[in-house]
Amino acid sequence: MKSRHLSKFVWAFIIFCTWVGGFLGIYINGKVTGDYQYDLAIPIIVGTVLALIISLFFSHRRKKRNGKVPEIDERTVKIMQRYLMIVLYVVLFGSGTALIILYSMGVQFIETGMLIICLLALYMIIGLGAFVAKRL
């Protein structure tokens, strides 16, 4: 498959998954509250399309400015591999240690909302670290 067709397929898949996730959120929220707010579909669709346009604009601008210079090289790939391997073990052992400490303190149940917040914080820290590692 050519790179151009693959790129279009990837963008279509990302947009589809974003829309499915948004509508699934509307459905779950409506199932809990009993009120399905379909007017939230407009911001989901408009936000996704707007994000696509902004991303394509910056991609086109970078390509116009830098020409055919690749965005990453072998050194960047090696740094990212090393960073992600370290993060894998830190998150694995850190989460295990946190659970052992909580269990030893007598905590028997963990609220799902707190788990979501912890995972969100982990994703944000890992993403910021990957961004910094890519820029090194």
Side-chain angles (χ1 to χ4, degrees):
M1 193 182 294
K2 291 188 177 181
S3 176
R4 181 174 223 131
H5 296 296
L6 184 62
S7 176
K8 289 179 183 178
F9 177 74
V10 167
W11 277 112
F13 181 74
I14 290 172
I15 289 172
F16 175 75
C17 287
T18 305
W19 286 351
V20 167
F23 291 125
L24 187 62
I26 292 173
Y27 173 75
I28 291 172
N29 188 26
K31 195 81 160 160
V32 171
T33 62
D35 180 32
Y36 295 95
Q37 299 176 349
Y38 293 114
D39 55 337
L40 292 176
I42 295 171
I44 291 170
I45 294 171
V46 170
T48 307
V49 171
L50 194 63
L52 172 69
I53 291 170
I54 290 171
S55 177
L56 290 176
F57 171 74
F58 281 118
S59 174
H60 180 71
R61 195 176 98 183
R62 185 194 63 79
K63 186 184 278 187
K64 194 174 184 182
R65 185 183 315 154
N66 296 339
K68 294 192 177 213
V69 176
E71 191 172 343
I72 59 173
D73 58 354
E74 297 85 13
R75 181 178 166 268
T76 306
V77 170
K78 201 66 165 166
I79 290 172
M80 288 294 292
Q81 284 177 343
R82 194 173 302 135
Y83 168 73
L84 291 173
M85 285 302 295
I86 291 169
V87 164
L88 170 72
Y89 288 109
V90 167
V91 168
L92 217 66
F93 289 121
S95 299
T97 305
L99 286 175
I100 290 171
I101 291 171
L102 285 173
Y103 184 74
S104 67
M105 290 172 52
V107 175
Q108 296 294 325
F109 301 102
I110 301 174
E111 186 180 341
T112 308
M114 291 305 289
L115 284 176
I116 292 171
I117 291 172
C118 288
L119 282 175
L120 178 67
L122 274 174
Y123 287 148
M124 289 175 61
I125 291 170
I126 291 170
L128 287 173
F131 182 73
V132 169
K134 183 180 175 189
R135 296 291 173 194
L136 290 178

